[in-house]
Short mmCIF file of all heavy atoms in Angstrom, two decimals:
data_model
loop_
_atom_site.label_atom_id
_atom_site.label_comp_id
_atom_site.label_asym_id
_atom_site.label_seq_id
_atom_site.Cartn_x
_atom_site.Cartn_y
_atom_site.Cartn_z
N THR Z 1 83.34 124.10 105.34
CA THR Z 1 83.91 123.91 104.01
C THR Z 1 84.76 122.65 103.92
O THR Z 1 85.42 122.41 102.90
CB THR Z 1 84.77 125.12 103.60
OG1 THR Z 1 85.84 125.29 104.54
CG2 THR Z 1 83.94 126.38 103.53
N THR Z 2 84.75 121.83 104.97
CA THR Z 2 85.52 120.59 104.95
C THR Z 2 84.88 119.61 103.98
O THR Z 2 83.73 119.20 104.15
CB THR Z 2 85.58 119.97 106.36
OG1 THR Z 2 86.29 120.86 107.22
CG2 THR Z 2 86.30 118.62 106.33
N GLY Z 3 85.62 119.26 102.92
CA GLY Z 3 85.07 118.34 101.93
C GLY Z 3 86.06 118.04 100.83
O GLY Z 3 87.13 118.65 100.74
N VAL Z 4 85.68 117.11 99.98
CA VAL Z 4 86.56 116.66 98.90
C VAL Z 4 86.85 117.80 97.92
O VAL Z 4 87.99 117.97 97.47
CB VAL Z 4 85.91 115.47 98.15
CG1 VAL Z 4 86.83 115.00 97.02
CG2 VAL Z 4 85.63 114.32 99.10
N ARG Z 5 85.83 118.57 97.61
CA ARG Z 5 86.02 119.66 96.65
C ARG Z 5 87.00 120.71 97.19
O ARG Z 5 87.84 121.23 96.46
CB ARG Z 5 84.68 120.32 96.33
CG ARG Z 5 84.70 121.15 95.05
CD ARG Z 5 83.36 121.84 94.84
NE ARG Z 5 82.26 120.92 94.74
CZ ARG Z 5 81.90 120.31 93.61
NH1 ARG Z 5 82.58 120.52 92.51
NH2 ARG Z 5 80.87 119.49 93.60
N SER Z 6 86.92 121.00 98.49
CA SER Z 6 87.85 121.97 99.09
C SER Z 6 89.29 121.45 99.04
O SER Z 6 90.22 122.23 98.81
CB SER Z 6 87.45 122.26 100.54
OG SER Z 6 86.18 122.89 100.59
N LEU Z 7 89.46 120.17 99.26
CA LEU Z 7 90.81 119.60 99.16
C LEU Z 7 91.34 119.68 97.73
O LEU Z 7 92.53 119.94 97.51
CB LEU Z 7 90.82 118.14 99.64
CG LEU Z 7 90.75 117.91 101.14
CD1 LEU Z 7 90.87 116.41 101.43
CD2 LEU Z 7 91.84 118.67 101.89
N SER Z 8 90.46 119.48 96.76
CA SER Z 8 90.87 119.61 95.36
C SER Z 8 91.31 121.04 95.05
O SER Z 8 92.31 121.25 94.34
CB SER Z 8 89.72 119.20 94.44
OG SER Z 8 90.04 119.44 93.09
N LYS Z 9 90.61 122.01 95.59
CA LYS Z 9 90.99 123.41 95.40
C LYS Z 9 92.33 123.70 96.07
O LYS Z 9 93.16 124.46 95.54
CB LYS Z 9 89.91 124.34 95.95
CG LYS Z 9 88.62 124.32 95.14
CD LYS Z 9 87.54 125.20 95.77
CE LYS Z 9 86.27 125.17 94.94
NZ LYS Z 9 85.18 125.97 95.58
N PHE Z 10 92.56 123.09 97.22
CA PHE Z 10 93.86 123.23 97.90
C PHE Z 10 94.98 122.67 97.02
O PHE Z 10 96.04 123.30 96.87
CB PHE Z 10 93.82 122.50 99.24
CG PHE Z 10 95.17 122.39 99.91
CD1 PHE Z 10 95.65 123.41 100.71
CD2 PHE Z 10 95.95 121.25 99.72
CE1 PHE Z 10 96.90 123.31 101.31
CE2 PHE Z 10 97.20 121.14 100.32
CZ PHE Z 10 97.67 122.17 101.12
N VAL Z 11 94.75 121.50 96.44
CA VAL Z 11 95.76 120.89 95.56
C VAL Z 11 96.03 121.80 94.36
O VAL Z 11 97.18 121.98 93.93
CB VAL Z 11 95.31 119.49 95.10
CG1 VAL Z 11 96.21 118.94 93.99
CG2 VAL Z 11 95.30 118.53 96.30
N HIS Z 12 94.97 122.42 93.83
CA HIS Z 12 95.15 123.33 92.70
C HIS Z 12 96.02 124.53 93.09
O HIS Z 12 96.93 124.93 92.33
CB HIS Z 12 93.79 123.81 92.20
CG HIS Z 12 93.86 124.68 90.99
ND1 HIS Z 12 94.50 124.29 89.83
CD2 HIS Z 12 93.38 125.93 90.74
CE1 HIS Z 12 94.41 125.25 88.93
NE2 HIS Z 12 93.75 126.26 89.46
N LYS Z 13 95.78 125.10 94.26
CA LYS Z 13 96.60 126.21 94.73
C LYS Z 13 98.06 125.78 94.90
O LYS Z 13 98.98 126.54 94.56
CB LYS Z 13 96.05 126.75 96.07
CG LYS Z 13 94.73 127.47 95.95
CD LYS Z 13 94.23 127.90 97.33
CE LYS Z 13 92.85 128.56 97.24
NZ LYS Z 13 92.30 128.86 98.58
N PHE Z 14 98.26 124.58 95.42
CA PHE Z 14 99.62 124.07 95.61
C PHE Z 14 100.32 123.89 94.27
O PHE Z 14 101.48 124.30 94.10
CB PHE Z 14 99.57 122.74 96.38
CG PHE Z 14 100.91 122.11 96.58
CD1 PHE Z 14 101.79 122.63 97.53
CD2 PHE Z 14 101.31 121.00 95.84
CE1 PHE Z 14 103.04 122.06 97.73
CE2 PHE Z 14 102.55 120.43 96.03
CZ PHE Z 14 103.42 120.95 96.98
N ILE Z 15 99.63 123.31 93.30
CA ILE Z 15 100.21 123.07 91.98
C ILE Z 15 100.56 124.41 91.30
O ILE Z 15 101.63 124.55 90.69
CB ILE Z 15 99.25 122.24 91.12
CG1 ILE Z 15 99.27 120.78 91.60
CG2 ILE Z 15 99.60 122.32 89.64
CD1 ILE Z 15 98.24 119.88 90.95
N LYS Z 16 99.68 125.39 91.45
CA LYS Z 16 99.96 126.71 90.87
C LYS Z 16 101.15 127.37 91.57
O LYS Z 16 102.02 127.95 90.91
CB LYS Z 16 98.72 127.61 91.00
CG LYS Z 16 97.61 127.29 90.01
CD LYS Z 16 96.40 128.18 90.22
CE LYS Z 16 96.70 129.62 89.86
NZ LYS Z 16 95.48 130.48 90.02
N PHE Z 17 101.21 127.26 92.89
CA PHE Z 17 102.31 127.85 93.64
C PHE Z 17 103.65 127.24 93.24
O PHE Z 17 104.65 127.94 93.06
CB PHE Z 17 102.07 127.68 95.14
CG PHE Z 17 103.25 128.06 95.99
CD1 PHE Z 17 103.68 129.38 96.05
CD2 PHE Z 17 103.95 127.09 96.71
CE1 PHE Z 17 104.79 129.74 96.82
CE2 PHE Z 17 105.05 127.44 97.48
CZ PHE Z 17 105.47 128.77 97.54
N LYS Z 18 103.67 125.91 93.08
CA LYS Z 18 104.92 125.22 92.73
C LYS Z 18 105.16 125.21 91.21
O LYS Z 18 106.18 124.70 90.75
CB LYS Z 18 104.89 123.78 93.25
CG LYS Z 18 104.83 123.65 94.77
CD LYS Z 18 106.02 124.32 95.45
CE LYS Z 18 107.32 123.61 95.17
NZ LYS Z 18 108.45 124.28 95.84
N GLN Z 19 104.21 125.75 90.44
CA GLN Z 19 104.33 125.83 88.98
C GLN Z 19 104.61 124.44 88.37
O GLN Z 19 105.51 124.26 87.56
CB GLN Z 19 105.42 126.83 88.59
CG GLN Z 19 105.13 128.25 89.07
CD GLN Z 19 106.20 129.25 88.67
OE1 GLN Z 19 107.38 128.94 88.62
NE2 GLN Z 19 105.77 130.46 88.36
N LEU Z 20 103.78 123.49 88.75
CA LEU Z 20 103.94 122.11 88.29
C LEU Z 20 103.10 121.88 87.04
O LEU Z 20 102.02 122.45 86.88
CB LEU Z 20 103.51 121.13 89.38
CG LEU Z 20 104.18 121.30 90.75
CD1 LEU Z 20 103.59 120.31 91.75
CD2 LEU Z 20 105.69 121.13 90.65
N SER Z 21 103.58 121.01 86.16
CA SER Z 21 102.82 120.62 84.97
C SER Z 21 103.22 119.22 84.58
O SER Z 21 104.20 118.65 85.11
CB SER Z 21 103.09 121.60 83.82
OG SER Z 21 104.47 121.60 83.48
N ASN Z 22 102.47 118.64 83.64
CA ASN Z 22 102.78 117.29 83.14
C ASN Z 22 102.92 116.29 84.30
O ASN Z 22 103.85 115.51 84.37
CB ASN Z 22 104.06 117.32 82.30
CG ASN Z 22 104.18 116.12 81.38
OD1 ASN Z 22 103.18 115.65 80.84
ND2 ASN Z 22 105.38 115.61 81.20
N ILE Z 23 101.94 116.35 85.19
CA ILE Z 23 102.00 115.61 86.46
C ILE Z 23 101.37 114.23 86.32
O ILE Z 23 100.32 114.07 85.69
CB ILE Z 23 101.21 116.39 87.54
CG1 ILE Z 23 101.79 117.79 87.73
CG2 ILE Z 23 101.15 115.64 88.85
CD1 ILE Z 23 100.83 118.74 88.44
N THR Z 24 102.00 113.24 86.94
CA THR Z 24 101.32 111.97 87.20
C THR Z 24 100.89 111.99 88.66
O THR Z 24 101.73 112.09 89.56
CB THR Z 24 102.23 110.77 86.93
OG1 THR Z 24 102.59 110.75 85.54
CG2 THR Z 24 101.52 109.46 87.27
N VAL Z 25 99.59 111.96 88.89
CA VAL Z 25 99.07 112.05 90.25
C VAL Z 25 98.69 110.66 90.75
O VAL Z 25 98.08 109.87 90.03
CB VAL Z 25 97.86 113.03 90.32
CG1 VAL Z 25 96.71 112.59 89.43
CG2 VAL Z 25 97.38 113.20 91.76
N LEU Z 26 99.11 110.35 91.99
CA LEU Z 26 98.80 109.07 92.63
C LEU Z 26 97.98 109.35 93.88
O LEU Z 26 98.36 110.21 94.69
CB LEU Z 26 100.07 108.33 93.05
CG LEU Z 26 100.99 107.73 91.98
CD1 LEU Z 26 101.81 108.82 91.28
CD2 LEU Z 26 101.93 106.71 92.62
N GLY Z 27 96.88 108.65 94.05
CA GLY Z 27 96.05 108.85 95.22
C GLY Z 27 95.63 107.56 95.86
O GLY Z 27 95.21 106.63 95.18
#
């Protein structure tokens, strides 16, 4: 499952856990 999509899902879980919104994302 190592891949870009899995990392995106991880970021989504992190954002939900931290209850973040109105984010400026830098990559």
Side-chain angles (χ1 to χ4, degrees):
T1 60
T2 296
V4 180
R5 198 184 301 275
S6 296
L7 285 184
S8 174
K9 290 177 180 177
F10 170 86
V11 170
H12 184 54
K13 290 177 184 175
F14 178 75
I15 286 173
K16 285 178 68 178
F17 171 66
K18 296 301 292 180
Q19 299 181 324
L20 306 176
S21 61
N22 200 36
I23 301 162
T24 297
V25 60
L26 290 76

